[in-house]
Amino acid sequence: MVINGCDCLIVIKTQYREMGVPYAGETIREAVSLLKEEAAIEGDGLCRTIRKSGGVTGCVVTPLTIGTVPLLLSLAMGSAGLPVYVSETRNLYRYHLNLLPVEGGSHFDLVQERGGSRKLYENCTVSGFELRCNRGETVHLKLDVKGERPPAIYPYTDPLKTEGGERFSGTYVTYRINGKEYPNIYGLTLSTKKEGGTKTELWIKRALEQGGDLPDPIDELSITAQLLRDTYEYRYFGMFRITLTRLVLVSDETAIDCADAVIGPLRYYVTGTVNAEVFTSTGENLE
């Protein structure tokens, strides 16, 4: 199956759902370590190498769509919990996602189709992720994947389908800091490492000529992405929100040395909590 001109496809399988993610890029492969024995000065002069499989490593990069957001964000964060029905709606459910280290996160299987062959990577976890939102661009999520089992041949030949739906755009992402919206934020990159605990950093690009500077420290930052079609009930179905607390400024890399608009990057370290909300029209279990 050819996706975006590339003969590649990634399918994520959990206990409750199977989903082919829209293709943007992937580097999923078997993790291999080599134990090399150098030749001694005396002896036959042979070099020997022992090959040992280390499971799976690599990443998956995909644009976020209305259909993929609930599952992909729940895998990135690590925990989704049970869906909660939103009152005064017909069939709307909300999930509260909590950031957990890789040891406590969700597990899933991954099917890779590349060059006409299919491989199955079982019992994978997300060891880190990166969310990138830039004005005028599609919102992308990169999942760093790891696992301890070597790949196996995936025997099924049924066509693998890719999840469709409208894609989220950075143009329709709003940012509220300490309760106040800042329209001068041009883009944002959220990066989280989940091995040995959780470590989250944030890069914020803001246009200096479009509004006031950002406060320091930041007690709370909420990132809200919406799809603006009127068919989404109360505009919640086409929405996700990520909330971070207690952000400390690490560095200001702004350089005012041009006549054009100045986009100044700020780097923050998150010392508080990271959680998210997503909405779906079905109350299925995501984990």
Side-chain angles (χ1 to χ4, degrees), residues 30-175:
E30 182 180 5
V32 177
S33 58
L34 298 177
L35 178 62
K36 186 177 180 181
E37 180 183 359
E38 297 287 351
I41 297 177
E42 299 84 6
D44 55 14
L46 296 179
C47 296
R48 299 175 177 85
T49 301
I50 300 175
R51 183 181 186 274
K52 181 180 179 181
S53 174
V56 58
T57 186
C59 70
V60 176
V61 182
T62 179
L64 290 181
T65 72
I66 189 172
T68 62
V69 156
L71 179 60
L72 293 181
L73 279 187
S74 69
L75 294 178
M77 299 292 287
S79 174
L82 297 176
V84 177
Y85 174 70
V86 180
S87 61
E88 299 182 1
T89 65
R90 294 188 301 271
N91 58 346
L92 192 64
Y93 296 85
R94 179 180 66 86
Y95 295 85
H96 184 80
L97 314 179
N98 295 309
L99 181 63
L100 296 178
V102 64
E103 295 81 10
S106 304
H107 290 73
F108 59 94
D109 297 339
L110 190 146
V111 179
Q112 176 194 60
E113 183 177 65
R114 181 192 293 171
S117 63
R118 295 181 180 180
K119 292 183 179 181
L120 173 65
Y121 299 88
E122 295 183 288
N123 202 34
C124 299
T125 59
V126 174
S127 60
F129 68 91
E130 181 177 290
L131 179 73
R132 182 167 296 180
C133 309
N134 285 317
R135 194 177 299 173
E137 299 179 7
T138 301
V139 178
H140 280 79
L141 179 68
K142 179 172 79 75
L143 300 178
D144 296 320
V145 178
K146 66 173 296 184
E148 297 180 355
R149 299 183 185 179
I153 300 299
Y154 191 67
Y156 302 102
T157 58
D158 297 337
L160 301 176
K161 297 181 180 180
T162 301
E163 184 74 27
E166 188 178 357
R167 297 185 177 186
F168 286 90
S169 171
T171 303
Y172 304 113
V173 176
T174 59
Y175 308 93

Side-chain angles (χ1 to χ4, degrees), residues 265-285:
L266 301 173
R267 181 185 173 195
Y268 289 88
Y269 184 75
V270 181
T271 64
T273 59
V274 180
N275 55 66
E277 289 180 304
V278 294
F279 296 84
T280 71
S281 59
T282 59
E284 60 186 357
N285 198 323

